[in-house]
């Protein structure tokens, strides 16, 4: 793979900092709240279905999850769930938004090194804008990034629009992230480059098979990025 | 005021298309749903307080409003509100997200004219990204804009960050919008230019007094923008 780029873009959640485990924890508490109405497996399926149905309306992020949990609670209980449980669900969502920021190991070293050598680094994320700005502020990583780009989804068309906005050719754009579906496959498909850094926990909506391409690499740890990119 | 700019930015809601009246309508339906627990005036004040308390967590947009309506319903009812009412509130939020797109009169003519003469036009909005992308798509106005910028708020620091990201000097940036508080005052305060185009309905959170500055103008109708900017 080539080793220099005009823009190096990092996914945020579970690439720079911990996110998915907090979502799993929130869901587990939600299943506990609703244990009178079904097993965790049943509730998980119901919640996932609600989220998929609402995705076009709500997009990604904690607010959409909170609304989908509320809707799922109403449905699986045949509207018998009580107000206290609804209040607890709304609070679960607020707790999720306020989780501490936990940086992933090696991230700061990689960003510092690339930034020092004048690589232009940006964040590209499909989370909620306010959530992501708060996380970036709490992470202390803001100094390394030129700016943050929030996209409503990470499909080929979203990357195409982004590259046009950034006025950068696909050949000069590298994306680094933990979702093959969102950070790797669409990027490679539009002719840009990608490095996959897996994370141990991922949302079932983000799962996709490995692809073979001279435009992408898979590494075990984010520090390996420094063996690939010129700095 | 000067008459040419590198970037002309338009606010979206109630500058390009109808928004606030749909929010007022949604709130009115919410007050009807909760009439057992208080007058519209009381509920309006309670809802506004909840929204203000949640603003730092939820930001702007329909999802935050839906969660704040739910929380208000739980509080004013002392958690006696029933599940049917909660379901109706969640549905009010979904209806709001799916309101038809109604362009404001004169907008398309202004955009078409400015775009033809090679002005670089962008949208700058603090609404929810997905909502705004959907509205832009439904508006048919996408062709006139270079891109959309979503900001988590419209304070001086947000505009400063935006101008840095766009690599444009304050002197080359014009903002056009219907909120003095969000579109005019912070823009003028950082040395850029602004045109205020009032709209008949505004959220109490957006109200602010008129300011006097050579960097801003107030017009009665968006078409007057064509008398001010070079095209």
């Amino acid at each position: 793979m080539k080793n220099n780029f005009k823009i190096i873009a990092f996914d945020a959640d579970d690439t720079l900092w911990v996110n998915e485990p907090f979502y799993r924890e929130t869901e587990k508490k939600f299943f506990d709240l609703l244990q009178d109405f079904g097993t965790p497996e049943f509730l998980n399926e119901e919640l996932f279905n609600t989220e998929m149905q609402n995705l076009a309306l709500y997009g990604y992020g904690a607010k959409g999850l909170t609304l989908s949990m509320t809707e799922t609670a109403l449905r699986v209980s045949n509207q018998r769930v009580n107000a206290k449980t609804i209040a607890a669900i709304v609070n679960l969502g607020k707790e999720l938004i306020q989780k501490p920021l936990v940086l992933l190991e090696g991230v700061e070293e990689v960003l510092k090194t690339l930034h020092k050598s004048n690589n232009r680094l940006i964040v590209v994320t499909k989370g909620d804008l306010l959530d992501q700005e708060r996380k970036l502020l709490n992470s202390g990583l803001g100094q390394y990034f030129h700016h943050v780009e929030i996209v409503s989804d990470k499909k080929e068309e979203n990357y195409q629009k982004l590259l046009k906005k950034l006025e950068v050719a696909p050949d000069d754009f590298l994306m680094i992230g933990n979702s093959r579906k969102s950070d790797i496959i669409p990027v490679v498909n539009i002719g840009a480059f990608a490095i996959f850094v897996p994370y141990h926990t991922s949302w079932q909506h983000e799962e996709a098979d490995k692809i073979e391409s001279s435009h992408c690499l898979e590494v075990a740890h984010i520090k390996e990025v420094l063996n690939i990119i010129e700095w």
Side-chain angles (χ1 to χ4, degrees), chain A:
Chain A
M1 199 169 82
K2 60 177 277 189
N3 67 356
N4 60 39
F5 301 91
K6 284 203 179 134
I7 291 182
I8 302 174
F10 287 81
D11 169 55
D13 290 338
D14 304 314
T15 296
L16 303 178
W17 48 64
V18 173
N19 179 67
E20 209 51 37
F22 293 138
Y23 272 69
R24 288 295 87 77
E25 183 190 66
T26 301
E27 289 167 9
K28 205 183 156 301
K29 288 182 186 171
F30 170 71
F31 305 149
D32 287 347
L33 281 173
L34 293 189
Q35 55 186 307
D36 290 351
F37 303 108
T39 63
E41 293 70 29
F42 168 76
L43 294 167
N44 188 45
E45 203 180 313
E46 289 293 318
L47 176 60
F48 185 71
N49 291 341
T50 311
E51 286 182 276
M52 289 303 105
Q53 278 161 24
N54 288 337
L55 197 55
L57 275 188
Y58 292 156
Y60 300 91
K63 283 177 290 189
L65 173 64
T66 311
L67 289 167
S68 287
M69 288 193 296
T70 305
E71 185 177 329
T72 303
L74 292 163
R75 190 177 66 244
V76 299
S77 71
N78 279 319
Q79 302 200 340
R80 286 180 297 120
V81 64
N82 62 39
K84 270 204 175 64
T85 304
I86 299 292
I89 290 170
V90 172
N91 280 332
L92 279 183
K94 286 192 179 183
E95 273 173 40
L96 177 59
I97 293 173
Q98 296 175 91
K99 287 287 173 196
L101 195 288
V102 183
L103 275 191
L104 293 180
E105 198 262 327
V107 162
E108 181 144 26
E109 186 190 329
V110 169
L111 294 177
K112 203 180 216 164
T113 307
L114 294 177
H115 179 255
K116 251 194 209 157
S117 50
N118 290 320
N119 281 288
R120 178 169 282 196
L121 312 180
I122 66 172
V123 176
V124 177
T125 166
K126 64 183 178 188
D128 181 88
L129 172 62
L130 192 65
D131 286 359
Q132 297 296 357
E133 285 192 347
R134 186 187 301 111
K135 288 182 193 175
L136 191 64
L137 188 71
N138 292 340
S139 74
L141 299 177
Q143 58 186 308
Y144 305 120
F145 290 106
H146 184 265
H147 68 269
V148 179
E149 293 283 353
I150 311 285
V151 289
S152 59
D153 211 333
K154 283 181 165 178
K155 296 185 173 161
E156 289 177 33
E157 67 206 60
N158 305 96
Y159 283 106
Q160 265 155 345
K161 259 207 287 196
L162 177 65
L163 267 59
K164 185 189 156 221
K165 173 175 167 182
L166 296 170
E167 296 176 341
V168 65
D171 199 52
D172 286 323
F173 182 84
L174 171 70
M175 180 79 205
I176 298 171
N178 75 305
S179 166
R180 285 199 189 104
K181 184 177 171 186
S182 295
D183 303 317
I184 311 301
I185 296 170
V187 171
V188 169
N189 282 348
I190 65 159
F193 292 81
I195 300 176
F196 177 63
V197 187
Y199 186 66
H200 53 73
T201 306
S202 67
W203 190 27
Q204 54 179 306
H205 178 60
E206 292 298 333
E207 283 160 17
D209 290 335
K210 187 173 174 166
I211 58 162
E212 295 293 337
S213 163
S214 61
H215 278 236
C216 91
L217 281 175
E218 302 210 0
V219 299
H221 194 283
I222 198 160
K223 280 198 190 178
E224 292 180 63
V225 164
L226 295 178
N227 302 333
I228 299 164
I229 304 173
E230 194 181 310
W231 50 275

